[in-house]
Structure formats: C-alpha cells, structure tokens
Amino acid sequence: MMMFKRITALLRGRVGDAETAFSDAQALPLLRQQLRDATVGLEAAQRAVAVVVAYHKREQNRTDDIAERLTDLETRTRAALAQEKDALAHEGATAIAELEQEREASRAVLAGYETEIRRLREDVTLAQRRLRALQRGKTLAEATAATQKLRGTMPAGVTASLREAEETLARLQARQTHAADAAAAYADLSAEGSAETASDRLASAGCGPRKQSDAESVLARLRGATSSLPA
C-alpha cells in the first residue's frame, strides 16, 4: 500500500513538473495573447464609456428643453393670472407640475449617468496604467528571451575548450617563468662561486697586484730594473 502511494505521488509529481515546464515554455506566447485580449477588452470599455456619455448628453438636452418649456409656461401662466383667466392659469399650472416631475426624473437619470461615467473612466484609467506596465514588462521579457536564446547558441564544448586552453597557457607561462628564474639564479651562483672571478674582482678593486699586465705596469717594472744597474 505504501509503495502504491509513493508511485502515485511520483506520477503526480512528474505530471506537475511536465505541466510547469510546458507553462514556462509557453509563458511568453501566452502573455502576448493575454495582452491582446486585455487590449480588446479595454477598447470595448472605452466604447462603453463613449456610449454612456452620449446617453448623458441626450438626457442633458432633454433636461434643458424641459427647463425652456417650464420658463415659457410659467411666463404665460403668470400672464393668465394677471388677466384673471383662471381656467387657462389652472391648465398652465397643471402642465408646469407635470414638466417639473419630468424634470426631476431627468435629473435623476443624469445623476445616474454621471456616476456611471465617473466609475467607468476610473476603471479605464486604471486598466490603461496596468496595460502599459504589462506591455513594458512584455518588452523586457522578449528582450531577455532573445538574449538568452543567443547565449544558448554557444556550444558547451566551446566554453570547455576555452577554459582548458586558458589553463594550458597558464601552466606554460608558469614553466617558462620558472625556467628563466632558474637560469638567472644559476648564473648568479656560478659567478659568485668562481674563485677566479672573485680574484679578478679583488684585483680590479686595487686589492693586491693587477693580474693582467698593461703598458704602465710594464714601464714601471722596466724603470725599476734600470735604476738598480751600476753606473
């Protein structure tokens, strides 16, 4: 039973890994399509705002027309009252009352439109900001994907060969440096350890007689020999 559970869990894990790998591989195409869908939806929302604005404008024109009719009726009803034409004045007052009710209803409709327009515009503005941010992110993701793709064109063997060549060159340079240092040290030791070389350097420094004859030393020797002869 325990083994069966483990096998089942393993299969689910492999399925999950496969789904994750597929989703990762298709993430960029999926993002592009989602942004296209969001753009279409945003355009539809903008058209909806335009429609509501048109309704609001039409209702506003209707309210303005009612206001003009009310002004005209009130003027005429006052004139009827001034002329004591009560029947006409009552008829005018009835029409005024009906128009006032219609005006209030129209104002309520306008308020509803204004609320809806404000809400829709806020939603559209927020959606536009989010869409722009997503589009910038998509551009960055596409550039990163292109860079990674180009990086992936470098064969793995090239990197390994370059690393091995660098190590070989470093070893070669180290050996050459060591050989040069050894040769220089050997030359110094040979020069310093030679008795002949030490004697020559002492003679050159004036310590003892010169080891090699020169014209001056020959002349000095000959003068000494001549002066010692009997006159």
Side-chain angles (χ1 to χ4, degrees), residues 14-88:
R14 288 183 175 176
V15 170
D17 290 344
E19 290 176 351
T20 301
F22 178 79
S23 297
D24 291 343
Q26 302 301 320
L28 195 53
L30 179 61
L31 176 61
R32 293 192 188 102
Q33 184 57 47
Q34 289 170 334
L35 288 179
R36 285 192 289 267
D37 293 342
T39 301
V40 172
L42 181 58
E43 291 172 353
Q46 290 171 325
R47 288 194 295 270
V49 174
V51 170
V52 177
V53 169
Y55 285 157
H56 177 273
K57 183 176 182 180
R58 186 180 65 182
E59 193 64 31
Q60 183 65 59
N61 291 336
R62 182 167 175 269
T63 301
D64 294 342
D65 180 66
I66 291 173
E68 291 177 1
R69 290 163 61 191
L70 278 172
T71 300
D72 179 71
L73 276 173
E74 288 175 356
T75 300
R76 296 181 186 279
T77 301
R78 289 192 186 95
L81 288 172
Q83 296 174 19
E84 297 183 351
K85 297 178 179 179
D86 295 340
L88 288 175

